Amino acid sequence: SSSSAFEVFLDVLYNKKVSLKTMDFQLLGELFYLATKHYLDTLKDEIVQEVSSRKMVTEQVLEAAKVAENYASLEKFSNALFQICSLFVFDNPKSTLEMSYNEEVGEENSFTLHRLTAKASRLQICDNCKQVPCLNGEMLFLCEAPILPIRTGGTSF
């Protein structure tokens, strides 16, 4: 891991305020690695939660997918990152086609985009809530009025 990741890691150990929101995916991956190595499950969970909460944009998709591939051995981190990349590809087919058009066949980005598209093609639309990913248990709002959480199997609260 890099020296900047190790500095952040030390700040965490000494209970200094650390904002994961400002960190790029590479730094988050390095920090996740350090947390794994030192058995800090809470930090790992916070990193995964931060990654999962982010909205992907076209300019970051390929770089984020490469980070996910590089950290494939850190399954929770890699899966969370691939999930938001795959959702972007699923929700933005035109942007994905434009990225494909701009990449040379056989180049590293082309391979990454191909693997990412394959992962996105495996996403399943939930039969119950009709969303990807499934909104099972999430609080929904309609015209700013809360709707009961969705439960798979038709159960409600």
Side-chain angles (χ1 to χ4, degrees):
S1 63
S2 67
S3 60
S4 54
F6 193 70
E7 283 180 39
V8 172
F9 183 71
L10 288 176
D11 287 346
V12 169
L13 288 179
Y14 288 105
N15 292 321
K16 290 187 179 177
K17 288 278 185 195
V18 174
S19 175
L20 300 177
K21 292 183 185 312
T22 60
M23 295 180 195
D24 63 19
F25 294 119
Q26 178 64 38
L27 184 56
L28 288 170
E30 292 173 16
L31 193 56
F32 192 92
Y33 169 77
L34 290 169
T36 300
K37 194 170 180 96
H38 295 279
Y39 304 102
L40 297 176
D41 291 338
T42 303
L43 178 58
K44 288 171 30 180
D45 292 343
E46 288 176 15
I47 292 169
V48 168
Q49 184 178 2
E50 172 58 31
V51 168
S52 299
S53 73
R54 292 192 181 180
K55 182 82 171 148
M56 187 56 63
V57 294
T58 305
E59 298 77 28
Q60 294 179 333
V61 172
L62 286 175
E63 196 58 43
K66 286 181 196 174
V67 171
E69 288 177 344
N70 291 339
Y71 288 100
S73 62
L74 305 173
E75 204 169 315
K76 283 177 78 176
F77 175 77
S78 181
N79 287 346
L81 196 47
F82 268 131
Q83 178 74 17
I84 63 169
C85 291
S86 297
L87 285 173
F88 176 85
V89 169
F90 187 85
D91 291 339
N92 300 282
K94 185 175 180 180
S95 295
T96 305
L97 289 172
E98 287 174 13
M99 285 188 290
S100 294
Y101 179 78
N102 293 328
E103 296 300 328
E104 289 293 322
V105 174
E107 294 293 318
E108 182 183 356
N109 283 349
S110 175
F111 292 134
T112 301
L113 188 57
H114 178 80
R115 286 187 294 271
L116 183 57
T117 305
K119 283 186 180 291
S121 71
R122 289 188 226 129
L123 292 176
Q124 298 288 320
I125 297 176
C126 175
D127 291 333
N128 187 32
C129 68
K130 308 293 185 221
Q131 298 294 313
V132 175
C134 176
L135 298 175
N136 186 24
E138 296 291 320
M139 182 64 77
L140 303 177
F141 291 88
L142 178 65
C143 301
E144 298 184 25
I147 300 173
L148 292 176
I150 295 173
R151 292 283 180 206
T152 306
T155 342
S156 63
F157 294 104

